[in-house]
Amino acid sequence: MIPAQGCKQKKKSSFFKAIAGFLIISIIGISITRLVLSNILATSGQFLAAANQKIEILKEENQNLENELSRSESLANVENYAKKAQLIKTINVEILTLSKPIASR
Amino acid sequence: MIRKRFLWIELFLFVFAAAVIGRLFYWQVIKYESFVVAAKSQTEDTVFISAERGKILSSDGSILVSNQKAYLLYAVIPEFKKLKKDNQTYEDLSKENAQKIAAILLEEKLVGVQGEDLEKINRDTLRESLKETIIFQLKQPNLVWVPLAKKVSEETKQKIEGLKIKGIGFQDDTKRFYPEGGIGANLFGFVAKDEAGNDKGYAGLEGYYDDKLKGKSGRLIQEVDSLGRPILIGSSVGSNASNGANLLTTIDRTVQYTVERKLQEGVKRYGAKAGAIIVMDPATGGVLASSSYPTFNLLDSTSSKPETYRNLGISEVYEPGSIFKSITSSVGLDSKAIDTRTACPCTGPLNIAGYEVQTSNNKYYPNSTIAEILQHSDNIGAAFVAQRVGINKFLKYVQDFGFGEITGVDLQGEEAGIIKERKNWGEIDLATAAFGQGLSVTALQMVSALSSIANDGALMKPYVVKKIESQSKTINISPTKVRQVIQPPTAEVVKQLLLGAVENGEAKRIIPHGYRVAGKTGTAQVPIAGHYSTKTTASFVGFGPVESPRFAMIVVLFEPSASIWASETSEPLFFEITKELYPYWGIPVHQ
């Protein structure tokens, strides 16, 4: 019985050793990963700054395009365009209403 | 001996250690706060995030007012001084460069100024004024940094940069952008700096809704590296910017454009001192257009005269004259003091409390009904109606129509008009008030009151903004009924009476027919120093088509010189605009 008990204890101790080893390796691995990632991220500020700058440029461009569009479709611009195209203003506009038939058999 | 030496060494080490500990205590405890601040200043960066001012949109969502990039032009004096040549004084250097910059700034000042207004501007004077301002700033004693011009455009910036003047720089800013040019200046108002140097809205919508439009700027404090770049894993605290809310208005940009152009033409054609037009939807109280002339240059409001900032439609109080007979007739009929068959003796001038009341042309129309009183614009007939109503009831109705108090329209600068207190009313006041003299109103009050007749007697609160859209919420503003002033059957009768007043009135030969407009002219003498002068305020207020009113409009011309009469000035102008609005809205004209 005694040798069997000793064998069981030996197995138990090697299991704990394996767990401890795994934990130590994991901790070391995670720490190294964190260190590497921190290092990478810490020096990535320039990308963030560049991205922010790009956002600002795009926002400005968007604003300029929106302004250009609204200026193009402004009534003063449309009127000028019509004048240049020599369009003539209608004098008599007749509005037809649905209450009166415009044609009948 | 050795022991003594050891003692000296121990003492020295003790003193040294004490000094180190003391110094550390000084740095770590006593000077802790200042070192924290110093460290933060090196590792932290504060970024101010400016809030974008809200846009103003027309009823169809088109942009009326937006934002664009602008710059503050400044000079760094020590840098600028380096340009000085050996044989040159600083004054000469300033003059030389100010001349160059002023020429470019002048071009920007003239953008948006057109026609006669452009001809009126003395370019040399304006250039000199700009030059003097720059020289004054460059000569400021004890200053290193001085602003030279505010809100300059990108184009101007590029031109000034092309001059390659050392010490001249630009700081980012924004300014308002108006796609329709100068249209709607008095309606929108303008943005300028307040005492603290921040943008602030003044007059019109910009002034009224400044709190909503300006938004809230934010601030971000973040950790940065030695080159000032943000550290992603570093700490960052702050608040986000909240952009200003956009205002969706009831303004119809086509109507606004038409009205603006026609008013400018009308004021010039009839030689008027000024003019105002308001177009309103009588069913809701929504303002479709509001124009005032003379106006200011939206693109450079600071160079305009302050009196041009006023929207005359809401801030100029004047005696309405005969347009008020539309109110008097409504009061007479609704109070049952008269009916449509009641005949006024109207045989000649009235003598009341020692005063003589006459008609404008000294013609008298005996046995006139209310329809004829309106068609002839008969002062005696109007006084007769008011006398039948009595002071108390007449005053109550006038107040119910909204006179004597602000309408509450969402525009900055509204005036309440002047209606005397009951204790100051005598018989003569009642008689003159009946034909619109002795009391003062605004054009908005007048068109609002007439709108209530078009709207079956229900007075609506005038408003311009129907939706406020911010990042966090949307507020819808619904039409508000103030009160039922007259009963719907009375309103129906008054509509027909006012239609008759237009179609059979003084201007029946010169106005176009078939538009089914109900309205009334008013030529009121202008009181100066307690007496009525020969100058007049000519106005026409009406709505159409009478069967189903789509709009109500008032046209007011202050002191027209081509003719003093409303039937020859403001009434034809009203119909010129109506002729353009009917096809736009698809309203048929009855031939």
Side-chain angles (χ1 to χ4, degrees):
Chain A
M1 287 301 282
I2 293 167
Q5 250 184 354
C7 187
K8 213 173 181 181
Q9 266 181 351
K10 218 174 187 180
K11 268 184 184 173
K12 210 173 178 180
S13 114
S14 64
F15 173 73
F16 282 123
K17 271 183 185 169
I19 292 281
F22 174 74
L23 284 175
I24 289 165
I25 290 166
S26 299
I27 288 166
I28 291 169
I30 289 167
S31 301
I32 291 169
T33 310
R34 187 181 183 277
L35 200 68
V36 171
L37 283 176
S38 299
N39 202 31
I40 293 168
L41 286 172
T43 54
S44 300
Q46 55 183 317
F47 298 117
L48 181 68
N52 279 337
Q53 206 176 354
K54 180 96 178 163
I55 289 169
E56 283 308 310
I57 291 168
L58 289 173
K59 264 188 188 172
E60 202 180 308
E61 205 174 309
N62 202 25
Q63 179 76 68
N64 288 342
L65 287 171
E66 190 183 83
N67 288 351
E68 200 49 50
L69 187 69
S70 49
R71 198 200 306 266
S72 300
E73 63 176 24
S74 71
L75 294 172
N77 196 50
V78 171
E79 193 174 41
N80 276 339
Y81 185 80
K83 271 183 192 164
K84 277 182 194 162
Q86 295 186 322
L87 296 176
I88 299 164
K89 197 173 178 180
T90 50
I91 299 165
N92 289 318
V93 179
E94 196 167 331
I95 308 292
L96 303 174
T97 53
L98 291 172
S99 58
K100 287 178 189 171
I102 55 168
S104 58
R105 290 186 183 195
Chain B
M1 190 66 186
I2 291 170
R3 190 179 166 83
K4 205 175 178 183
R5 279 179 186 172
F6 269 117
L7 269 174
W8 275 112
I9 290 166
E10 277 173 13
L11 187 66
F12 171 75
L13 288 173
F14 178 77
V15 170
F16 182 74
V20 169
I21 289 166
R23 196 63 186 160
L24 280 173
F25 181 80
Y26 173 75
W27 282 336
Q28 298 280 341
V29 180
I30 297 171
K31 296 292 276 183
Y32 172 79
E33 288 296 333
S34 59
F35 279 113
V36 167
V37 172
K40 276 189 177 177
S41 70
Q42 285 176 19
T43 58
E44 279 183 1
D45 182 33
T46 304
V47 182
F48 289 95
I49 311 160
S50 58
E52 192 186 323
R53 198 170 171 86
K55 294 169 191 162
I56 300 176
L57 311 168
S58 68
S59 58
D60 64 354
S62 299
I63 292 173
L64 295 172
V65 184
S66 179
N67 302 300
Q68 65 179 330
K69 199 162 177 75
Y71 301 90
L72 169 75
L73 172 67
Y74 66 84
V76 181
I77 308 271
E79 284 292 308
F80 180 70
K81 277 183 177 169
K82 286 179 188 169
L83 282 174
K84 195 165 76 71
K85 292 165 196 160
D86 292 340
N87 54 353
Q88 196 181 28
T89 62
Y90 180 65
E91 198 166 334
D92 289 341
L93 174 76
S94 305
K95 273 185 189 171
E96 183 192 324
N97 288 292
Q99 176 86 31
K100 290 178 194 168
I101 296 169
I104 296 170
L105 292 178
L106 176 71
E107 287 174 39
E108 180 164 322
K109 288 260 175 203
L110 298 177
V111 173
V113 187
Q114 292 168 339
E116 285 179 23
D117 294 336
L118 187 62
E119 286 163 24
K120 276 184 206 166
I121 292 174
N122 186 331
R123 287 162 193 247
D124 292 334
T125 313
L126 187 55
R127 192 187 296 110
E128 274 309 300
S129 152
L130 290 166
K131 187 179 139 188
E132 289 305 318
T133 309
I134 295 169
I135 293 171
F136 174 79
Q137 289 292 78
L138 289 172
K139 279 186 185 168
Q140 292 272 354
N142 309 323
L143 285 181
V144 174
W145 185 98
V146 286
L148 299 181
K150 289 168 186 167
K151 312 247 179 221
V152 300
S153 68
E154 178 74 43
E155 199 183 342
T156 303
K157 178 191 173 231
Q158 284 172 6
K159 283 180 187 169
I160 294 173
E161 278 175 341
L163 296 173
K164 294 191 171 26
I165 304 170
K166 209 172 178 183
I168 299 291
F170 296 88
Q171 190 176 304
D172 283 358
D173 198 359
T174 57
K175 68 174 177 180
R176 288 306 233 177
F177 169 73
Y178 306 95
E180 297 287 352
I183 299 292
N186 297 94
L187 178 67
F188 305 143
F190 59 96
V191 177
K193 298 285 180 196
D194 62 8
E195 297 86 354
N198 299 318
D199 280 350
K200 188 182 174 193
Y202 295 90
L205 288 169
E206 296 276 17
Y208 192 90
Y209 285 104
D210 186 51
D211 279 350
K212 298 262 187 288
L213 285 165
K214 71 181 175 190
K216 201 178 165 191
S217 51
R219 204 170 64 145
L220 179 69
I221 302 166
Q222 57 187 0
E223 243 181 282
V224 291
D225 63 16
S226 59
L227 295 172
R229 295 177 305 214
I231 298 170
L232 286 185
I233 54 166
S235 64
S236 87
V237 288
S239 56
N240 285 329
S242 169
N243 287 338
N246 292 338
L247 306 180
L248 183 69
T249 66
T250 55
I251 300 299
D252 184 316
R253 67 177 182 138
T254 307
V255 181
Q256 180 69 36
Y257 184 75
T258 307
V259 160
E260 198 97 19
R261 212 162 25 99
K262 289 288 176 190
L263 177 63
Q264 198 170 334
E265 286 170 16
V267 166
K268 286 172 186 167
R269 188 192 312 146
Y270 299 118
K273 188 179 154 194
I277 297 178
I278 297 172
V279 187
M280 187 184 268
D281 179 352
T284 63
V287 176
L288 303 173
S290 167
S291 178
S292 180
Y293 190 84
T295 187
F296 61 93
N297 181 6
L298 266 177
L299 306 174
D300 185 21
S301 55
T302 48
S303 66
S304 302
K305 291 177 186 165
E307 59 264 29
T308 59
Y309 299 152
R310 293 171 70 226
N311 182 345
L312 300 176
I314 62 164
S315 60
E316 182 71 12
V317 292
Y318 68 101
E319 294 201 1
S322 294
I323 50 173
F324 208 75
K325 287 170 188 159
S326 57
I327 304 301
T328 304
S329 57
S330 303
V331 174
L333 290 165
D334 199 66
S335 64
K336 310 265 188 278
I338 58 159
D339 61 32
T340 51
R341 288 163 299 170
T342 307
C344 164
C346 294
T347 49
L350 277 180
N351 280 300
I352 303 169
Y355 294 94
E356 190 177 75
V357 178
Q358 298 174 334
T359 56
S360 60
N361 55 6
N362 229 5
K363 283 183 185 171
Y364 298 90
Y365 308 93
N367 299 318
S368 292
T369 61
I370 187 67
E372 289 161 331
I373 289 168
L374 288 170
Q375 284 164 26
H376 298 137
S377 197
D378 188 344
N379 291 348
I380 308 299
F384 163 78
V385 174
Q387 283 172 331
R388 294 279 291 253
V389 175
I391 294 175
N392 288 339
K393 219 176 249 184
F394 185 83
L395 185 58
K396 170 81 171 51
Y397 268 105
V398 166
Q399 286 166 340
D400 280 354
F401 268 112
F403 298 105
E405 60 178 11
I406 56 166
T407 64
V409 71
D410 43 352
L411 292 171
Q412 199 177 58
E414 188 188 9
E415 290 290 332
I418 304 162
I419 306 289
K420 282 190 284 193
E421 282 181 46
R422 170 64 187 93
K423 62 181 181 187
N424 298 323
W425 279 70
E427 282 303 314
I428 186 64
D429 301 300
L430 178 66
T432 56
F435 49 88
Q437 302 244 223
L439 46 81
S440 297
V441 303
T442 64
L444 181 66
Q445 283 175 336
M446 204 59 233
V447 71
S448 175
L450 205 82
S451 290
S452 72
I453 297 170
N455 191 35
D456 296 329
L459 181 73
M460 305 299 290
K461 182 183 171 183
Y463 70 109
V464 181
V465 172
K466 59 180 178 182
K467 197 190 268 185
I468 302 170
E469 288 176 316
S470 66
Q471 284 172 321
S472 54
K473 60 180 176 180
T474 299
I475 304 168
N476 285 302
I477 297 162
S478 308
T480 311
K481 182 179 170 179
V482 180
R483 65 181 77 88
Q484 187 74 31
V485 187
I486 55 172
Q487 293 309 305
T490 312
E492 202 50 51
V493 173
V494 179
K495 280 183 201 175
Q496 295 306 320
L497 291 173
L498 293 174
L499 176 69
V502 173
E503 296 196 337
N504 304 310
E506 303 153 45
K508 63 184 174 189
R509 286 184 195 85
I510 55 171
I511 57 158
H513 290 279
Y515 286 87
R516 307 284 294 162
V517 165
K520 186 73 193 78
T521 51
T523 305
Q525 288 169 285
V526 179
I528 296 173
H531 296 281
Y532 285 109
S533 66
T534 52
K535 292 172 180 170
T536 63
T537 304
S539 46
F540 184 88
V541 63
F543 55 86
V546 75
E547 290 77 15
S548 171
R550 175 74 177 79
F551 75 101
M553 174 163 61
I554 186 164
V555 176
V556 189
L557 294 174
F558 298 97
E559 301 179 20
S561 56
S563 164
I564 60 164
W565 303 106
S567 57
E568 294 169 6
T569 53
S570 50
E571 190 174 1
L573 185 57
F574 179 100
F575 278 95
E576 262 183 55
I577 297 166
T578 304
K579 271 173 98 171
E580 299 222 357
L581 296 184
Y582 270 43
Y584 169 64
W585 280 322
I587 303 171
V589 177
H590 296 80
Q591 297 299 332

